[in-house]
Amino acid sequence: MDKQTGLPLFRVQIALLHPDEPAGLVTVTVPGRPDGIAPATPVQLARFTGRPWIGDSGNWGIAFRADSLAPVDAETRRRHASPSNGTA
């Protein structure tokens, strides 16, 4: 359970895409069930953070978290898909 909201925590896999880099897959913890988001839906993460951790046996990683996860609206997708990204 999330300490601030009281909502259950869910782990969601997110593909991070960048035109100049290989795709990466990360697991992000979010409060509340992310309903209505189908696989391959572009999403927006609010307050996306990563926290490094080290285990007792020396293993390590980064724990990713976001305050919320929502589908990106069509206008935002159109703006980011344009070659100029809206700049002159």
Side-chain angles (χ1 to χ4, degrees):
M1 298 299 252
D2 183 62
K3 293 176 184 175
Q4 292 181 340
T5 65
L7 294 171
L9 294 170
F10 288 84
R11 294 175 58 183
V12 181
Q13 286 192 320
I14 305 290
L16 302 176
L17 305 174
H18 187 278
D20 299 329
E21 299 290 332
L25 191 64
V26 298
T27 300
V28 180
T29 302
V30 294
R33 180 184 302 273
D35 289 328
I37 299 175
T41 300
V43 295
Q44 183 171 348
L45 301 167
R47 294 182 43 100
F48 178 58
T49 59
R51 181 176 302 204
W53 58 268
I54 300 175
D56 292 335
S57 61
N59 55 330
W60 63 275
I62 299 174
F64 294 102
R65 184 172 173 122
D67 284 353
S68 66
L69 172 93
V72 174
D73 62 72
E75 174 60 22
T76 302
R77 279 197 307 251
R78 185 193 61 76
R79 239 187 349 230
H80 286 282
S82 69
S84 66
N85 282 340
T87 60

